[in-house]
Amino acid sequence: MASGVTVSDEVIRVFNDMKVRKSSSPEDVKKRKKAVLFCLSDDKKKIIVEEGKQILVGDIGESVDDPYASFVKLLPLNDCRYGLYDATYETKESKKEDLVFVFWAPENAPLKSKMIYASSKDAIKKKFTGIKHEWQVNGLDDIQDRCTLADKLGGSVVVSLEGRPF
């Protein structure tokens, strides 16, 4: 069932910026988003970019040591969110980068929130064309261990995530 929730233009712009890897100056690369969270607006009618809930490529190695662990820390323990995470990983053959769409619906989120986020998920997914990996997460136990993301990205062929070997 669709909820009638719409997706803000800024969400689409952020997605397109993360999806298209233009050859750009080192300064532009630093401004690229590594991860970002989206939430519902206060009136529950629009999916918007959540203020201050992002990690920039330029933060890594400066204010952010481990981008994956930092992304997990952005997630609220008591409410739902959508997220995009730009995973950098290596398989036995090659280095890869893929966007992962995360639907975060923790056990202790309010039922009403879980319902509206679940019924609005298609609205945002339709705007995110070309996403290879979708991951519904229901608690920190599912997401804290980076091996779970490695399984999503390719299972046993993945040998490292964000430069950290398994």
Side-chain angles (χ1 to χ4, degrees):
M1 185 187 92
S3 63
V5 167
T6 59
V7 179
S8 80
D9 291 343
E10 188 189 3
V11 168
I12 297 163
R13 189 180 51 73
V14 165
F15 168 70
N16 286 328
D17 287 350
M18 287 178 78
K19 185 172 89 164
V20 179
R21 292 182 176 82
K22 302 188 271 285
S23 54
S24 32
S25 72
E27 282 310 303
D28 287 342
V29 169
K30 285 182 178 177
K31 292 179 194 151
R32 257 200 37 227
K33 289 174 179 34
K34 175 75 178 169
V36 65
L37 292 186
F38 307 104
C39 62
L40 288 168
S41 57
D42 291 340
D43 65 6
K44 308 282 186 257
K45 289 188 180 354
K46 256 193 164 152
I47 297 169
I48 59 171
V49 176
E50 188 170 6
E51 197 70 33
K53 297 289 183 173
Q54 65 180 14
I55 299 167
L56 301 178
V57 172
D59 295 339
I60 300 165
E62 296 194 9
S63 59
V64 172
D65 176 43
D66 178 345
Y68 183 71
S70 298
F71 172 66
V72 171
K73 285 184 186 137
L74 292 177
L75 298 165
L77 296 178
N78 301 320
D79 207 356
C80 302
R81 289 294 183 273
Y82 306 112
L84 273 179
Y85 184 79
D86 190 0
T88 305
Y89 61 104
E90 281 182 71
T91 64
K92 292 170 180 141
E93 292 87 41
S94 63
K95 280 188 169 185
K96 297 185 172 191
E97 276 187 76
D98 277 332
L99 283 181
V100 180
F101 173 71
V102 177
F103 172 37
W104 169 251
E107 302 282 328
N108 45 356
L111 182 60
K112 188 173 182 182
S113 180
K114 286 186 203 175
M115 287 172 61
I116 194 162
Y117 272 85
S119 63
S120 304
K121 185 175 79 167
D122 279 350
I124 193 169
K125 270 183 48 193
K126 279 181 185 143
K127 303 291 185 188
F128 290 177
T129 51
I131 290 266
K132 286 190 212 139
H133 307 284
E134 181 187 334
W135 188 13
Q136 179 169 338
V137 186
N138 298 106
L140 285 175
D141 293 350
D142 298 345
I143 198 170
Q144 274 178 319
D145 185 347
R146 63 188 61 243
C147 292
T148 322
L149 177 56
D151 286 345
K152 280 271 169 221
L153 295 168
S156 59
V157 299
V158 177
V159 293
S160 79
L161 178 67
E162 306 305 343
R164 292 165 192 246
F166 290 107

